[in-house]
Amino acid sequence: MTIKRLILIFIMTPIAVLLAVSSLFGSWQEPQFQSRLELYQTNIALQAQAWQSEDSRDDRDDSLQAVREAILGEQPLESATKQYQEARQSVQTNLDKVNNKLAQLRSQSDIVATPPKPLPDVPSATKTSQQAQLKQLQQSLKEQQKLLSELDLRLGILQAQQGQTDIALKTWSELQQRSDITPEFGQTAAVLSGLWSNPPRLLPNTQQPIQKNLEGWFRSTALVKLYQLQQRQEALSAVKAAQQEASAQAVIKLAVIGTIPTLAALIGLILLIFLFGQRLLKGKASLLSQNGDLPWSTPWDIETVLQVFVVGFFFMGQLFVPILLSRLPISRPVDDVRLQAFSVLVSYLLVASGALSVLYFSIKDFFPLPEFWFRFRFQDNWFLWGLGGYCAALPIVVVVSLINQQLWQGQGGSNPLLQLALESRDSIALGIFFCTAAIAAPFFEELLFRGFLLPSLTRFLPVWVSILVSSLLFAIAHLSLSEILPLTALGIVLGVVYTRSRNLLAPMLLHSLWNSGTLLSLFILGSN
């Protein structure tokens, strides 16, 4: 065994595995993006439920009203309240976990600081690690406390609007008792309590905290209540007019978000039933069995596979590129979302370029490659495979995601790019995010996972096992525990599409459509 192989197998591979495992377990304490996404959708639904037709006698408006009820349901306020209560319970659970971990860490620090008997000095690396962990937990604590206060402000308004004034006042009162933690939200809670008290109490500068700490339907609802009490008819009319305009837009947004994916998922479900039915009737002659058992002719061994993924993927992504970027004399963008988007794109391109360079130098001695390797053919039916695969993936991933949410209960972390895209309201930044997620990512990831890894595994495993293993590694590579199951399901569909079509354009199209659909939904939700 050569020194190169020894270093790769016994040093670099374990380090890569440890880095991946550490990142995955680190994501366990992070909130799942899906929870925040659901709240954004709930907020749009609240905007939409305030919509009213100007002329209820108009048949067209009656039809629009029926469509609105079909989109929102019969009791949107009750549904929103339930959603916010569940979100609050999840945040409170996370807050308790963080407090417990902080207590344990401080207890360990006290033991180290005052040992009962002579002990050797604690290594500085251990102290540094404890300090970093303490700082991270304290930051997480502040974020959870702030989110809890925001949820209580909004939950109280929902309760008050349903006639549950006493419960709403209690919610805001409990928030005011925590005002030493979040003083600005405590002040807003006091303002809201005054508005819904009997008799009402108008505090000084009532409008400012409402404008600052509330958004969307919650802000307009509180302002309507304020202007009614102040008898400011002009301001009241302006708020109601703006509310109606925002409500009409919200109905359209919900229709786009709900209708297009639902139709695609329905087509996908029909397609799956057809494919499995054809498989039962025709057996090996069916589309689903096309090339299903045909392995690739792989001229390299497992060492080459490890070299590409350990050196090219994990070390490039987790060590080399981050260290390179940290050494550059460039300030990190914090407030400028365009610079953040550009930074994400540059980082991704550097990682992709490094990994693909390692891939090229690892396999160049085997050129020319056997048939079907890294195959791009514009003449065959790759477009139908990609589009059909996207539709088929929707119902599968949705079902897996629902199960996944129950397993993780709002924890497990998510791709940070999703949060940036959701909160970005800048068209240029969103264009850059689109280039990263819908162009660069499908090309690089499909070339690496479906183009190289999956066919390489067929030298050692059956094709269907190779699809499963490559899909699991594809999901793990995203380094978020909560995304492993959904991404594995998506990876399986990508693998099936590639093994049957033998054309990398098909999974690249599927991957691009998937990421584009996600970005479009985030753009619509974030524009509320």
Side-chain angles (χ1 to χ4, degrees), residues 169-223:
L169 292 174
K170 182 181 178 182
T171 300
W172 291 323
S173 175
E174 291 174 352
L175 173 53
Q176 291 177 67
Q177 293 172 12
R178 306 194 305 269
S179 61
D180 57 324
I181 300 173
T182 52
E184 58 179 2
F185 293 111
Q187 180 187 0
T188 310
V191 166
L192 295 175
S193 295
L195 293 179
W196 269 276
S197 294
N198 189 16
R201 301 187 315 273
L202 294 181
L203 302 180
N205 299 321
T206 300
Q207 184 171 326
Q208 183 178 355
I210 291 175
Q211 295 277 16
K212 182 180 179 182
N213 297 317
L214 294 173
E215 294 179 347
W217 176 85
F218 298 97
R219 178 192 289 170
S220 59
T221 301
L223 288 176

Side-chain angles (χ1 to χ4, degrees), residues 290-291 372 375-386 497-498 500-507 509:
Q290 178 180 313
N291 298 322
F372 297 128
R375 191 182 185 201
F376 292 87
R377 288 188 61 183
F378 288 92
Q379 290 79 19
D380 63 19
N381 56 357
W382 63 272
F383 184 84
L384 293 177
W385 275 107
V497 165
Y498 181 48
R500 273 56 178 178
S501 67
R502 300 291 160 129
N503 190 337
L504 272 172
L505 290 173
L509 174 63

Side-chain angles (χ1 to χ4, degrees), residues 465-478:
V465 179
S466 300
I467 293 174
L468 290 177
V469 173
S470 63
S471 300
L472 181 60
L473 291 174
F474 167 72
I476 291 173
H478 287 75

